[in-house]
Amino acid sequence: MDIKRFLKLLYRYKLFLILVPVIAVATTYYFVKNLPKQYSSNAKISTGLLDQSKQVTEQNTDFFKISQQFTTIMEKMKMKKMLNILSYNLIIHDLSDPRKSFRKYNEKVDSLTANERQEVIQIYKERLFNKIPLTLADRKGKYNLFDIVNSMGYGEYALSESIEVTHVDNSDYVDIKFVSDSPDLSAYAVNTLATEFIKNFSSEVNFNQNNSIEILNADLKRKEEEMNAKNIALKEFKMKNGVLNIDKQSELVYQQITQAENRKAEVIRQIQSTQNTINAIESKLKSGNTDLGGAAIEDNARIININNQLELANKRYVDGGFKQSDKRKVDSLVSIKSSLTTLNSDKYIVDPQISRQNFLQQKYGLETTLAQLNGSMRSIDSELAEAKGKYYAMVPFDAGIQNYMRDADVATKEYTDALNRFNQTKTDQNIGLRLNIEEYGLPGLPEPSKKILFLAMAGIGSLFLCVMVLVVIFLSDHSINTSSQLSSATKSKVLGSLSYITTPDRSIRNIWKDKNNADYAAYKNLLRSLRFEINNTLTADSSNIVGITSLTDGEGKTFLAYNLAYAFAMTGKKILLIGEEPNFIDKANTKELVKGQNFESFLVKKEVVTEDLITILSKSDESYSLLESQNEKSLKAGFEILKNEFDLVIIDVNSLSDINLAKEWLSFTEKNIAVFEAGRALTDRDKDFVSFIKHQPGFMGWVLNKIKLSEYKDT
């Protein structure tokens, strides 16, 4: 948002921003100058919800629940029922004693006779006693009860606008405020509303609690009967089946089963261990282990064999007559026997037969132990079977008694819950919510006048509304009025700006000759600045053919072309202007523009008659295609002649709305300028033309035309 431009808009409409608030304040003052004084009165009701001194038992504070209770109290106080009760009390008060009436009687009340007024009072009292709401249907009776109440300002809507019920956070009080044009009325209204509300609220609470107690009491008796019936059924089942405590008995039997199974597992482990030991001993005895005498047996067998051979050798030696050869054999056998005996004595220090005997004794002992363990296993199995039999016999009783016990427990729990609810309700009834008027409302002084507030609100509100209107106008206005806006919208350079000439006479001669006209002077100064920018750009690359176009017709490109030609002629340059015949050409002296020759004729003859400083070649038909008049080669040759003949060639190119013609002319220019009329916005079509001209070779920038001098001074 352009803050500077917006501030300019505010300044432009400064009278509007001043007059509207002034009118609003004046109008408000006219309506509030006789505004009656307002009197307020306040009454406070204590609830005891947050006052610990009024609570009999210590309770955890549930702030959410307490907040709901306060909200309920305030909403009930503003209900139609309570407002109608207040309406009845107010109208009865005023009708009962005209001298003490809070408000003057109106036509509806004055039209009633004394007897009729007493009859109306009696009807209102009956409706108040029966708490009958006041509705539109009450217009149809003998007396228009609804309109009488509303005519005195005691209707539901009027009272709801005057009553304010609030609760200050973390306080125990509900505050009732009533504002009216009478201090006595305000005090009477808040006190009556507080009193009637406490009466009705307490009555409703007691009624609801009594109903709840009756319902809970009936439910409690029913739960008690069910509980007693379930307990009697449980007792009869135990007596019938001889069960004292099925849980304790089954627990003892289950412990016996567990202990027997543990002993059985221990015996099985011992049997397996003993059997494994016996198997290991038998394996050693069956193997040829030297520790158990296997090698000794073999050695003894060898000695026995030598003894047998020795016996046979001795017998042969004796029977053979003591031959020397038999003698040597006997000696040899004796020597072998002696060696074996000596070797056997050294090898077996401990007799292997003793070790074997020990293993055999262990085996026999373990076999005896194994037999004992198997006997224990049979005894344990018998005990376990007996215990399981007892346990399984208890299962049917257990299932039955569990059902009875479960039913009894559920009935007992339901009875206990019902008893707790009954006791809690009784407790709430005795020590529950108790509303009291902590502070009565009293007549007071008038409240500060709100006239100043109304006037300030009127002034500030109207001013704010006016500013908002201008903001909407500003945001919805996409017109371009300054060079910076044009540059931002086109993303291109702006060479300069030209002011709008308000004078009807826009002839070039008068513009340049008249030195007293401020519009002419400003225009010439801006044109000279534009001439300087264009000349610097042309000098940089020695270009001298400049095309001037615009987005649409009527933006002032032709007027600019002629004035720009005159401006360059003022610097002594020889200028050629190619363009349409404008309606502002005057017959000229030196340096003035004159009606020129035809450009199409020049293309044919390739000759041009030069004037003093400005020569004009007019285009007779704007819709005539340039490329259809001559071929491109001939056209380039013609423009080359003009380029060499003149210092500057200015071409008034068709607007981009005639894009086909504009493209042809722009193809023969070296530099281009686009003219944009100030005060209009870019359309979608214009944006396409902007994109086209920006990408043309030699495009120098934009000229913002027809700007207001005030816009120019602020840019």
Side-chain angles (χ1 to χ4, degrees), residues 417-659:
D417 293 341
L419 181 61
N420 290 335
R421 290 196 300 271
F422 179 80
N423 292 334
Q424 183 63 42
T425 305
K426 291 288 288 183
T427 303
D428 291 342
Q429 187 180 33
N430 294 328
I431 63 171
L433 187 63
R434 290 288 183 270
L435 301 181
N436 294 296
I437 299 179
E438 196 74 18
E439 182 180 272
Y440 285 91
L442 298 174
L445 296 174
E447 291 191 330
S449 177
K450 295 183 179 180
K451 293 180 182 178
I452 301 299
L453 178 61
F454 291 147
L455 295 176
M457 291 175 60
I460 295 173
S462 58
L463 178 61
F464 178 77
L465 181 62
C466 293
V467 172
M468 287 298 101
V469 171
L470 293 179
V471 168
V472 173
I473 294 174
F474 177 79
L475 295 178
S476 60
D477 181 15
H478 299 291
S479 62
I480 297 174
N481 295 288
T482 64
S483 299
S484 59
Q485 291 176 334
L486 180 60
S487 177
S488 176
T490 60
K491 303 294 188 295
S492 304
K493 181 180 179 181
V494 178
L495 296 173
S497 303
L498 295 175
S499 61
Y500 178 71
I501 298 177
T502 58
T503 306
D505 183 7
R506 295 191 300 125
S507 64
I508 297 174
R509 181 182 60 186
N510 291 338
I511 291 174
W512 286 92
K513 298 299 183 182
D514 193 341
K515 297 181 180 180
N516 297 321
N517 192 306
D519 282 355
Y520 293 162
Y523 184 84
K524 287 187 290 185
N525 291 334
L526 293 173
L527 187 63
R528 289 185 181 109
S529 176
L530 176 62
R531 179 185 66 189
F532 178 79
E533 295 291 337
I534 295 173
N535 186 62
N536 285 345
T537 304
L538 295 176
T539 304
D541 56 3
S542 301
S543 300
N544 66 344
I545 300 179
V546 178
I548 301 177
T549 185
S550 61
L551 297 179
T552 61
D553 294 332
E555 295 195 78
K557 63 179 179 61
T558 301
F559 187 70
L560 172 61
Y562 277 82
N563 278 280
L564 197 60
Y566 198 99
F568 273 104
M570 294 290 289
T571 63
K573 289 188 177 183
K574 192 175 181 181
I575 308 300
L576 172 65
L577 176 62
I578 302 174
E580 62 176 302
E581 293 272 357
N583 57 7
F584 47 77
I585 293 296
D586 299 315
K587 292 187 177 180
N589 297 319
T590 306
K591 298 182 183 178
E592 287 193 359
L593 300 180
V594 296
K595 292 185 178 181
Q597 305 158 67
N598 187 272
F599 180 71
E600 285 75 13
S601 299
F602 163 74
L603 292 177
V604 175
K605 298 178 181 181
K606 297 295 188 295
E607 294 179 357
V608 61
V609 179
T610 60
E611 302 294 338
D612 184 7
L613 287 177
I614 300 176
T615 302
I616 298 176
L617 292 178
S618 62
K619 297 185 294 182
S620 60
D621 187 359
E622 274 196 72
S623 62
Y624 185 70
S625 173
L626 182 62
L627 293 177
E628 290 176 1
S629 63
Q630 295 286 333
N631 60 48
E632 186 175 357
K633 183 177 180 181
S634 177
L635 289 170
K636 287 184 177 180
F639 277 105
E640 192 64 30
I641 292 172
L642 297 176
K643 177 179 175 65
N644 295 329
E645 181 71 22
F646 295 95
D647 296 328
L648 178 63
V649 178
I650 299 175
I651 302 175
D652 180 12
V653 181
N654 301 70
S655 67
L656 294 178
S657 59
D658 299 323
I659 190 65

Side-chain angles (χ1 to χ4, degrees), residues 12 20 69 82 108 126 144 169 178 208 210 222 358 401 427 429 480 520 523 528 552 583 592 599 659:
R12 185 184 306 168
V20 171
Q69 290 178 306
M82 293 307 306
K108 290 185 179 297
E126 291 177 359
N144 193 335
D169 290 341
F178 191 91
N208 294 333
N210 288 332
R222 182 173 58 83
N358 291 335
I401 202 168
T427 303
Q429 187 180 33
I480 297 174
Y520 293 162
Y523 184 84
R528 289 185 181 109
T552 61
N583 57 7
E592 287 193 359
F599 180 71
I659 190 65

Side-chain angles (χ1 to χ4, degrees), residues 46-49 69 73 201-202 205 209 428 431-435:
S46 62
T47 62
L49 293 174
Q69 290 178 306
I73 291 172
F201 185 80
S202 301
V205 170
Q209 287 177 341
D428 291 342
I431 63 171
L433 187 63
R434 290 288 183 270
L435 301 181

